[in-house]
Amino acid sequence: MFEHLLHNSESWLNAKGPDSKIVISSRLRLARNLKGSVFSNRCRLPQKYEVLDEVNAAAGKIEQLHSAHFVKMEEISQLDRQFLLERHLISQEHTLAPKGKGLIVSDDEKISMMVNEEDHIRLQVLASGFDLDNIWQKITALDDELSRRLEYAFMPDLGYLTACPTNLGTALRASCMLHLPALVFTKKINKILELLTKLSFTARGLFGEGTQALGNFFQVSNQVTLGLSEPELIENLSGIVNQVKDQEQIARQNLLKKYKFTIEDSVWRAVGILKHARLMATKEALAHLSMLYLGVDLGIIKKIKPETINNLFINIQPAHLQKIEQRVLREQERDYIRAHLIRNNLGGKYV
Amino acid sequence: MFEHLLHNSESWLNAKGPDSKIVISSRLRLARNLKGSVFSNRCRLPQKYEVLDEVNAAAGKIEQLHSAHFVKMEEISQLDRQFLLERHLISQEHTLAPKGKGLIVSDDEKISMMVNEEDHIRLQVLASGFDLDNIWQKITALDDELSRRLEYAFMPDLGYLTACPTNLGTALRASCMLHLPALVFTKKINKILELLTKLSFTARGLFGEGTQALGNFFQVSNQVTLGLSEPELIENLSGIVNQVKDQEQIARQNLLKKYKFTIEDSVWRAVGILKHARLMATKEALAHLSMLYLGVDLGIIKKIKPETINNLFINIQPAHLQKIEQRVLREQERDYIRAHLIRNNLGGKYV
């Protein structure tokens, strides 16, 4: 399975979805808990295994998951868990205390289910680009299939019951990953992030809650889960993402008009460093790759394909590097191999 | 004359002299004043012109200066004066209030005389590399020739009289321009600079007094001019320069042994930025060129010649750029043209 994932470049980050120059990916997540079982954080290990077996059995019968992989988190290495985190298939929390925790993931990585994370079930559907309506159809069909085989904890007045009250109701989190280098470059990003917060959306970094905005990526999601229907929640997010996308588009055009020399300089410097450096940390690599990605979109860089950059965004991550090299690497080794991988992929002259 | 200087790459910075990988150039300067004339800073303009005429007439008769250029500072533009400063032929002071000030410069730029700077005569002889003994022979021969034609202000007990008492006695300033990137990289430079000061030497930046150490260049010179003979002063400087040179040599070898990856990374990053940037200020360019120069010496970079880098060290300077472009340039234009010149000379791929 890991070998397959490592070479799967047709995932959510393939830059082929709608508006994918700015909206990298769309994601919906439903939290569900089983009636009669204690919530995961209060649940003893034997019952966790029961929940895991029950969910796995139900999922195994669903057509959309017929070729899915069923993973017990305790049976794989910490490196493999880290690898799944870097692919956005599991959360940080799911990499820790792995006993009784599970993951079900479809072959194309677009559907995944964490079992016994904060809730018994965290069902996720991903798509490349700006494609919320499409994945809403997919996730609701999956949820219907599951609900026929599992009895959910649900109350008519409160909706779906969840371990954390902020997820109560629809238990839906809708989010889009946006790449906003021009809004960062022109220093307009902070105003936009403030506005998002005022309108009850949150903007987080590349790896969700509590992570920094690396590589100019921002994950925008709904804060509210209660009092609105799922389609309304999705429509609201859609509306705000559309606005931010337009602002980024305008900012990119302005860069070429008003800051032509400085943006060209910044993009080319990023290329120069990526093609020549011998040691590079993940954070720095993400920043330069982000500028390069912008440069390709603006037509400043012509010979590098967006897919190449997207693959690098994923593969330069620490666990990915180690899976590629098939061995555990210390930090300085990683920095060396990361720089080498980047030069190799971007046609650096002196490899 | 300026056209000639602009294309003169056989100057003191041609990297062909002894030990020139570390000791870029050697310089001796004698201060002389004419008996019976008021010191320059107290001298009225008509008398300055008299001094200038008298010195020019004497210099014109000396064989070593038979093809020299005689320049009246007030007759050339501020840009040209700046250009001469960048070539280390005149001082900052000599670019200001140009009336009555003169410059005599040999065709190869190795001999120059400022007239009516702080002293009536500042005679300078330069050589590429570590070559103090050789230029001492040259400057003392020139001084003898001049003293036959001009009456110097001299007192047997005090020696040569100078406008500033710190130059009294021999009125000799001996200096070497050292390139010390490895001592800077390994953070050993500050201890060495402290030691130099304790031993009564001074270390200044690329443009002498009051200038910063740009591009890891340090100009080391004697502080004392009194109480020792000229050969003793030169021998003292020679000794200390030898020691610093050895320390830099050791540091360079250590870089390859102990810091192989980080030094390779730093050198290649400098190359990447130099070959790709679209805007570059002088200070940044000097820093990257310094790393590149070190990289060539360490064998990390093989396809770039030291002469190419030496020419860039000179030609990227603001007045040089404007002379090359044959027009006055604003700062951002200069940064753009400087980056272009560097890419052109280093074979940057996307020019």
Side-chain angles (χ1 to χ4, degrees):
Chain A
M1 167 194 156
F2 289 102
E3 202 51 28
H4 170 77
L5 293 184
L6 197 54
H7 300 107
N8 177 22
S9 62
E10 287 304 304
S11 73
W12 54 274
L13 216 162
N14 70 356
K16 287 179 185 160
D19 295 315
S20 65
K21 284 179 180 176
I22 296 172
V23 188
I24 302 298
S25 64
S26 305
R27 184 176 80 131
L28 293 178
R29 186 267 288 152
L30 292 174
R32 297 288 183 259
N33 287 281
L34 302 188
K35 194 172 173 180
S37 298
V38 182
F39 283 145
S40 301
N41 52 346
R42 292 276 177 179
C43 190
R44 293 189 175 199
L45 197 55
Q47 203 179 2
K48 277 194 184 175
Y49 286 123
E50 283 174 30
V51 169
L52 183 55
D53 288 344
E54 201 180 337
V55 174
N56 279 351
K61 288 173 193 142
I62 294 176
E63 203 200 325
Q64 296 97 313
L65 294 172
H66 80 275
S67 63
H69 308 273
F70 290 76
V71 182
K72 287 184 175 161
M73 299 311 290
E74 65 205 80
E75 291 178 354
I76 62 174
S77 66
Q78 177 55 27
L79 178 61
D80 284 339
R81 290 192 289 270
Q82 200 62 33
F83 174 80
L84 295 171
L85 172 68
E86 289 177 359
R87 293 188 84 76
H88 295 261
L89 294 171
I90 63 172
S91 63
Q92 184 81 50
E93 190 186 324
H94 218 52
T95 65
L96 308 168
K99 286 203 167 171
K101 289 179 177 171
L103 169 70
I104 304 163
V105 55
S106 68
D107 208 47
D108 64 1
E109 300 177 63
K110 286 177 180 165
I111 303 168
S112 60
M113 275 171 79
M114 286 188 284
V115 187
N116 287 322
E117 206 244 22
E118 189 181 293
D119 297 294
H120 293 142
I121 297 173
R122 286 279 176 107
L123 175 62
Q124 172 178 273
V125 177
L126 279 166
S128 175
F130 191 16
D131 209 10
L132 289 166
D133 292 338
N134 191 17
I135 58 176
W136 168 242
Q137 300 306 324
K138 273 176 89 171
I139 203 166
T140 197
L142 275 160
D143 186 42
D144 286 350
E145 293 285 341
L146 282 171
S147 69
R148 259 176 243 151
R149 293 166 177 90
L150 298 166
E151 197 172 356
Y152 288 158
F154 180 86
M155 290 174 76
D157 50 342
L158 289 174
Y160 293 99
L161 302 185
T162 53
C164 179
T166 60
N167 291 316
L168 207 65
T170 59
L172 173 73
R173 178 87 61 200
S175 67
C176 288
M177 184 75 82
L178 303 175
H179 187 231
L180 306 175
L183 289 173
V184 173
F185 196 91
T186 55
K187 300 193 171 68
K188 290 190 174 148
I189 191 69
N190 285 336
K191 269 200 169 170
I192 286 176
L193 296 181
E194 274 172 34
L195 190 70
L196 286 175
T197 311
K198 273 188 195 160
L199 296 172
S200 294
F201 294 91
T202 54
R204 292 160 176 168
L206 200 49
F207 290 97
E209 210 159 342
T211 65
Q212 269 190 304
L214 295 171
N216 303 316
F217 287 108
F218 297 86
Q219 190 176 305
V220 178
S221 62
N222 64 312
Q223 189 102 306
V224 178
T225 56
L226 200 63
L228 291 170
S229 72
E230 289 90 342
E232 283 168 334
L233 286 173
I234 292 171
E235 204 186 314
N236 284 353
L237 181 72
S238 228
I240 200 83
V241 167
N242 244 321
Q243 284 181 46
V244 178
K245 187 197 77 181
D246 290 346
Q247 289 299 312
E248 170 70 15
Q249 198 60 59
I250 291 165
R252 290 192 188 183
Q253 292 316 311
N254 269 338
L255 282 182
L256 283 182
K257 277 182 218 154
K258 292 190 196 162
Y259 308 99
K260 185 172 154 49
F261 292 113
T262 45
I263 190 64
E264 287 183 356
D265 183 53
S266 299
V267 167
W268 280 113
R269 279 169 182 258
V271 173
I273 292 170
L274 289 167
K275 282 190 163 188
H276 289 81
R278 259 55 187 166
L279 293 173
M280 198 176 294
T282 309
K283 197 172 164 180
E284 189 194 353
L286 288 173
H288 296 320
L289 288 170
S290 169
M291 285 310 290
L292 172 55
Y293 201 67
L294 175 65
V296 170
D297 182 44
L298 293 180
I300 297 170
I301 306 295
K302 296 195 174 68
K303 294 185 180 174
I304 296 172
K305 289 179 186 166
E307 301 93 272
T308 308
I309 308 169
N310 283 325
N311 282 334
L312 283 173
F313 272 129
I314 296 286
N315 288 332
I316 59 161
Q317 299 178 99
H320 274 73
L321 274 186
Q322 295 176 74
K323 295 297 283 182
I324 292 169
E325 288 288 306
Q326 301 184 307
R327 63 192 175 99
V328 174
L329 301 169
R330 283 171 298 121
E331 190 176 338
Q332 213 203 6
E333 281 182 294
R334 289 203 301 269
D335 288 352
Y336 184 79
I337 287 170
R338 181 176 297 114
H340 185 87
L341 180 79
I342 293 170
R343 290 203 308 284
N344 248 343
N345 277 271
L346 297 182
K349 219 179 168 185
Y350 312 80
V351 180
Chain B
M1 164 193 158
F2 289 101
E3 202 50 28
H4 170 76
L5 294 184
L6 197 55
H7 300 106
N8 177 22
S9 62
E10 288 303 304
S11 73
W12 54 276
L13 216 162
N14 71 356
K16 288 179 183 160
D19 296 314
S20 65
K21 284 178 181 177
I22 295 171
V23 187
I24 302 297
S25 64
S26 304
R27 185 176 79 131
L28 293 177
R29 187 267 288 151
L30 291 173
R32 297 290 183 258
N33 287 281
L34 302 189
K35 192 172 173 180
S37 296
V38 181
F39 284 145
S40 300
N41 51 348
R42 292 275 177 179
C43 190
R44 294 191 175 197
L45 197 54
Q47 203 179 1
K48 278 193 182 174
Y49 286 123
E50 282 174 31
V51 169
L52 183 56
D53 288 343
E54 201 179 338
V55 174
N56 280 350
K61 287 174 194 141
I62 294 175
E63 203 199 325
Q64 297 96 312
L65 294 173
H66 80 275
S67 63
H69 307 274
F70 291 76
V71 183
K72 288 185 175 163
M73 300 310 290
E74 66 206 80
E75 290 179 354
I76 63 175
S77 66
Q78 177 56 26
L79 178 61
D80 285 338
R81 290 192 290 268
Q82 200 63 33
F83 174 80
L84 294 171
L85 171 67
E86 288 176 0
R87 294 188 83 78
H88 295 261
L89 294 171
I90 63 172
S91 62
Q92 185 81 51
E93 190 186 326
H94 218 52
T95 66
L96 309 168
K99 286 206 167 170
K101 290 178 177 169
L103 168 71
I104 303 164
V105 55
S106 70
D107 209 46
D108 64 2
E109 301 177 63
K110 286 175 180 165
I111 304 168
S112 59
M113 277 171 78
M114 285 189 284
V115 186
N116 287 322
E117 206 244 21
E118 188 180 293
D119 296 294
H120 292 143
I121 297 173
R122 287 277 175 108
L123 175 63
Q124 171 177 274
V125 177
L126 279 166
S128 176
F130 192 15
D131 209 9
L132 288 166
D133 293 337
N134 191 18
I135 57 176
W136 167 243
Q137 301 305 325
K138 272 176 90 169
I139 203 166
T140 197
L142 276 161
D143 187 41
D144 286 350
E145 293 285 340
L146 282 171
S147 69
R148 258 176 242 150
R149 292 167 179 89
L150 297 166
E151 198 173 355
Y152 288 158
F154 180 85
M155 289 175 75
D157 51 342
L158 289 175
Y160 294 98
L161 303 184
T162 53
C164 179
T166 60
N167 290 316
L168 207 65
T170 58
L172 172 74
R173 177 87 61 201
S175 68
C176 287
M177 184 75 82
L178 302 175
H179 188 230
L180 307 174
L183 289 173
V184 172
F185 196 91
T186 56
K187 300 194 172 69
K188 290 189 176 148
I189 191 71
N190 285 336
K191 269 199 171 173
I192 287 177
L193 296 181
E194 274 171 34
L195 189 71
L196 286 176
T197 311
K198 274 186 194 159
L199 296 171
S200 295
F201 295 90
T202 53
R204 293 162 174 165
L206 199 49
F207 291 98
E209 210 160 342
T211 66
Q212 269 190 301
L214 295 170
N216 304 315
F217 287 109
F218 296 86
Q219 190 176 305
V220 177
S221 62
N222 64 314
Q223 187 102 305
V224 177
T225 56
L226 199 63
L228 291 170
S229 72
E230 289 90 343
E232 284 169 334
L233 287 174
I234 291 172
E235 205 187 312
N236 284 352
L237 180 72
S238 230
I240 199 82
V241 167
N242 245 320
Q243 286 183 46
V244 178
K245 187 196 77 182
D246 290 347
Q247 289 300 312
E248 169 70 15
Q249 197 60 57
I250 291 165
R252 289 191 190 185
Q253 292 315 311
N254 269 337
L255 282 183
L256 283 182
K257 278 183 218 152
K258 293 190 196 163
Y259 308 99
K260 184 172 155 49
F261 293 112
T262 45
I263 190 65
E264 287 183 355
D265 183 54
S266 298
V267 167
W268 281 112
R269 279 170 183 258
V271 173
I273 292 170
L274 288 167
K275 280 190 164 189
H276 289 81
R278 260 53 186 168
L279 293 173
M280 197 176 291
T282 308
K283 197 172 164 179
E284 189 194 352
L286 288 172
H288 297 320
L289 287 170
S290 170
M291 285 310 291
L292 172 56
Y293 201 66
L294 175 65
V296 170
D297 182 43
L298 294 179
I300 297 169
I301 305 295
K302 295 194 174 70
K303 293 186 179 174
I304 296 172
K305 290 180 186 165
E307 302 92 271
T308 307
I309 307 169
N310 283 325
N311 282 333
L312 282 174
F313 272 130
I314 296 287
N315 287 332
I316 59 161
Q317 299 179 95
H320 274 72
L321 275 186
Q322 294 176 73
K323 296 295 284 183
I324 291 168
E325 288 289 306
Q326 301 183 308
R327 63 193 175 98
V328 175
L329 301 169
R330 282 172 300 119
E331 192 176 338
Q332 213 203 7
E333 281 182 294
R334 289 203 299 268
D335 289 352
Y336 184 80
I337 286 170
R338 180 177 298 114
H340 185 88
L341 180 79
I342 293 169
R343 291 203 308 285
N344 247 344
N345 275 272
L346 297 181
K349 219 177 167 185
Y350 313 80
V351 178

